[in-house]
Amino acid sequence: MLKSQPVTVSIARSVQPGYHRQFAAWAHAGQELAREWPGYLGSGWVRVSPASDEWHVMYRFSNVETLHDWDNSHERKWWIDGGGGLMEITRVEHRTGIEGWFDQPGDVSISVPETVVPPRWKQAVGIFLPFFPLSLLANIFLRPITADWPLVLAVLLNVCILTPIMTYLFLPLSTRLLRPWLQAPRKQRTSRKPR
């Protein structure tokens, strides 16, 4: 393999029956870990069919060195160890460039676009911005009614009123208004050395 070409790893995994939701969550966690790694270009996973236990997981790095660094990282080892009981690996392939990615006649090609998940701190800001003023207003307007109530009941009323308002009105609005910022690509880290 040429060192300067992007490298794609394709792994076929056989998932234990009944553990497909856990496997999808596990694969998503690995995708989130890899996303911050230097040289990461993308990843995805797809189930062969709804009745199948076989899944195909693919990830791509900018070159052999960055792939090697990811494959030998403490983060990846921790992630792999966490999913050990869910599946077994049945096949692993490394491919560079476009070699090998042409389908044979009769093959079905499935492409799964990668979703952009904002970092948790951005998610927290997106929730805080509508929640703080709404909570403040609710406390101001409910205070005359709930001033003599036990704290637990006053908080319960506040939560019962604010939860649907936040869920159906303000969080969708906040997400829509902040979408360009929330989904902005993450900056590449220049270097990362294992400890």
Side-chain angles (χ1 to χ4, degrees):
M1 277 185 242
L2 295 175
K3 290 186 176 185
S4 61
Q5 287 187 328
V7 181
T8 302
V9 178
S10 172
I11 303 173
R13 288 186 162 100
S14 180
V15 177
Q16 298 290 333
Y19 286 90
H20 295 281
R21 289 182 63 197
Q22 292 91 331
F23 175 79
W26 175 83
H28 180 72
Q31 186 178 48
E32 287 302 304
L33 282 173
R35 185 186 312 271
E36 305 234 354
W37 203 264
Y40 172 79
L41 299 177
S43 60
W45 62 94
V46 66
R47 191 174 183 182
V48 173
S49 74
S52 175
D53 290 330
E54 186 174 357
W55 288 69
H56 293 274
V57 178
M58 295 181 9
Y59 54 95
R60 188 167 175 86
F61 278 82
S62 60
N63 57 46
V64 173
E65 290 85 7
T66 57
L67 172 64
H68 181 276
D69 290 346
W70 164 248
D71 281 344
N72 294 298
S73 69
H74 295 292
E75 286 95 337
R76 183 173 185 275
K77 181 183 180 332
W78 171 83
W79 170 65
I80 292 291
D81 290 347
L86 296 175
M87 76 291 190
E88 64 181 42
I89 295 174
T90 56
R91 186 178 68 250
V92 177
E93 295 179 29
H94 290 72
R95 299 181 179 189
T96 57
I98 61 171
E99 160 259 344
W101 290 108
F102 293 102
D103 293 331
Q104 298 297 322
D107 284 350
V108 176
S109 177
I110 300 172
S111 113
V112 179
E114 185 178 345
T115 57
V116 176
V117 178
R120 288 184 188 228
W121 70 269
K122 283 187 175 184
Q123 293 177 37
V125 169
I127 293 168
F128 175 82
L129 288 175
F131 183 74
F132 177 73
L134 187 61
S135 179
L136 186 61
L137 286 173
N139 279 297
I140 290 170
F141 289 118
L142 291 175
R143 188 80 174 142
I145 299 167
T146 62
D148 296 329
W149 290 21
L151 180 62
V152 171
L153 294 178
V155 170
L156 178 63
L157 177 65
N158 203 340
V159 169
C160 287
I161 291 171
L162 293 181
T163 299
I165 293 172
M166 282 293 293
T167 302
Y168 295 107
L169 297 175
F170 286 97
L171 283 178
L173 178 64
S174 174
T175 303
R176 189 169 37 258
L177 293 174
L178 296 174
R179 180 170 285 127
W181 177 71
L182 288 170
Q183 295 187 344
R186 297 182 184 191
K187 294 179 181 172
Q188 289 281 13
R189 294 184 180 171
T190 53
S191 67
R192 189 167 190 164
K193 298 184 186 213
R195 294 177 198 188

